[in-house]
Amino acid sequence: MDDIQESTQAATIAALKAERDQLLTLLKALPDISFVLDAEGRYVKVIGGANEAMYASGKSLEGYTLADALPPAVAEACLTHVKQALHTGEMQTLEYQLCVADVALLPPSVRDNDHHQAEQWFEGRALPLPSYDHSKPVVLWVAVNITPRKQVEQYWREAAYTDPLTGIANRRALFEQAEHEIQRAHRHHRPLSLLVLDIDHFKTINTQYGHAQGDEALRQFTQCCARLLRDTDFMGRIGGEEFVMLLPETDQLGAEQLGARIVEAIPTLDVPGMNNEHRMTVSIGAATRLEGEGFEHLLVRADDALSTAKRSGRNRLRVDQAATR
């Protein structure tokens, strides 16, 4: 009976070893790199990574730990998922950013390569390997380079929130940011002002010089305004030639001062192809948030002030006076 049990056990061990060897052979042929990591985060074996355009060889990591090789935050997150996989017996997934040049144990020739200086995105998949011959429990960690996918996601995310002509925020992004700033100003009882800007007689520019020149005028207008803003300010295009500026931590006087600088700066722009006699000007309406006021009402007041600026002859700033009534 003992002989039968020993024979059965030996056959089982041999089958598991053959299965493991088949798995490792398969992994070596795959483009993604894989690691056998033990419960302490030690690299027991590095496998695969045949796609040299996406991965650097990690053989030099064997015998070292995640903490030895990776930046602290990445190493800690990876080790947490290794332990979670061993505890639950189920696959754990983690997305993380890593610059190959920051992997301390790679050879200098690899780390100094220009291709490896850029930040990359990986999806780590940790799955327990119960039959692996090692003194401690291990997982198989497959690192899938998902940088191209992340780049596509970033492109579409920016496209959804960016005005394609000027490169600033579009209407959707502006309104979302405005709600956030309104809530913050309300919560902390801080001032917030709004400027609504409209390029004067812009349709005449398009008619006289053509749409291509009109587009260039819009870009130069945007760049000029952006140079006058602080890092905390937010500018968006909400219509053809209409723009809005969110000015956190800005009272009525601050909004007036900025608006006056913009009115003064725009006519100095020299748009290629446009006659020197034909200078752009801008009309601006300003409003400062009242206690408890939402964005839509604040925008209406700033827009009413803009209408007043246009009726008054354009090329000027008008401020809604609700706060002083």
Side-chain angles (χ1 to χ4, degrees), residues 55-163:
Y55 302 97
S57 172
K59 281 295 182 182
S60 59
L61 304 180
E62 291 183 352
Y64 294 93
T65 67
L66 291 164
D68 294 329
L70 304 180
V74 177
E76 183 178 350
C78 291
L79 182 58
T80 297
H81 281 69
V82 167
K83 292 180 177 180
Q84 188 69 12
L86 291 172
H87 175 70
T88 63
E90 299 177 352
M91 185 173 73
Q92 303 295 314
T93 302
L94 171 69
E95 287 189 2
Y96 56 98
Q97 283 182 282
L98 181 65
C99 181
V100 174
D102 291 337
V103 181
L105 298 176
L106 293 178
S109 59
V110 174
R111 299 174 64 200
D112 295 341
N113 187 309
D114 290 342
H115 175 66
H116 295 145
Q117 300 298 314
E119 199 82 18
Q120 299 189 65
W121 275 97
F122 296 90
E123 182 181 83
R125 302 170 185 171
L127 185 67
L129 283 179
S131 61
Y132 198 88
D133 184 17
H134 186 66
S135 58
K136 294 182 176 63
V138 300
V139 303
L140 175 67
W141 183 286
V142 181
V144 182
N145 193 316
I146 59 172
T147 304
R149 190 191 84 195
K150 286 292 185 178
Q151 289 172 337
V152 171
E153 290 175 356
Q154 179 66 19
Y155 170 81
W156 286 113
R157 185 161 47 248
E158 291 180 356
Y161 287 90
T162 304
D163 175 57

Side-chain angles (χ1 to χ4, degrees), residues 10 25 28 32 56 70 85 101 122 143 158 173 181 189 243 272 295 303:
T25 301
K28 287 178 183 179
D32 298 312
L70 304 180
F122 296 90
E158 291 180 356
E181 293 294 349
H189 304 286
F243 300 79
F295 173 65
D303 202 50

Side-chain angles (χ1 to χ4, degrees), residues 11-240:
T12 301
I13 293 173
L16 290 173
K17 183 178 183 302
E19 183 178 329
R20 187 201 71 175
D21 292 342
Q22 289 174 0
L23 173 63
L24 296 181
T25 301
L26 175 63
L27 290 172
K28 287 178 183 179
L30 294 179
D32 298 312
I33 195 167
S34 302
F35 310 98
V36 176
L37 296 167
D38 69 16
E40 295 179 351
R42 190 171 303 279
Y43 292 92
V44 177
K45 192 171 185 62
V46 179
I47 317 158
N51 186 346
E52 295 182 358
M54 301 290 280
Y55 302 97
S57 172
K59 281 295 182 182
S60 59
L61 304 180
E62 291 183 352
Y64 294 93
T65 67
L66 291 164
D68 294 329
L70 304 180
V74 177
E76 183 178 350
C78 291
L79 182 58
T80 297
H81 281 69
V82 167
K83 292 180 177 180
Q84 188 69 12
L86 291 172
H87 175 70
T88 63
E90 299 177 352
M91 185 173 73
Q92 303 295 314
T93 302
L94 171 69
E95 287 189 2
Y96 56 98
Q97 283 182 282
L98 181 65
C99 181
V100 174
D102 291 337
V103 181
L105 298 176
L106 293 178
S109 59
V110 174
R111 299 174 64 200
D112 295 341
N113 187 309
D114 290 342
H115 175 66
H116 295 145
Q117 300 298 314
E119 199 82 18
Q120 299 189 65
W121 275 97
F122 296 90
E123 182 181 83
R125 302 170 185 171
L127 185 67
L129 283 179
S131 61
Y132 198 88
D133 184 17
H134 186 66
S135 58
K136 294 182 176 63
V138 300
V139 303
L140 175 67
W141 183 286
V142 181
V144 182
N145 193 316
I146 59 172
T147 304
R149 190 191 84 195
K150 286 292 185 178
Q151 289 172 337
V152 171
E153 290 175 356
Q154 179 66 19
Y155 170 81
W156 286 113
R157 185 161 47 248
E158 291 180 356
Y161 287 90
T162 304
D163 175 57
L165 176 62
T166 62
I168 63 173
N170 60 15
R171 185 183 185 91
R172 174 182 178 182
L174 177 84
F175 276 58
E176 288 189 9
Q177 184 68 20
E179 292 298 337
H180 169 75
E181 293 294 349
I182 287 285
Q183 291 175 15
R184 192 181 71 84
H186 176 73
R187 185 165 56 250
H188 299 291
H189 304 286
R190 302 301 301 165
L192 181 144
S193 294
L194 201 68
L195 297 183
V196 179
L197 308 88
D198 191 282
I199 299 175
D200 296 326
H201 305 295
F202 185 73
K203 289 182 175 58
T204 302
I205 297 175
N206 273 336
T207 301
Q208 185 169 343
Y209 297 99
H211 288 282
Q213 208 59 44
D215 289 349
E216 179 60 24
L218 286 170
R219 283 190 286 266
Q220 292 220 15
F221 172 84
T222 303
Q223 292 164 10
C224 178
C225 291
R227 288 193 291 269
L228 297 174
L229 296 179
R230 304 164 300 178
D231 291 341
T232 53
D233 298 331
F234 195 85
M235 181 178 180
R237 183 184 179 198
I238 62 171

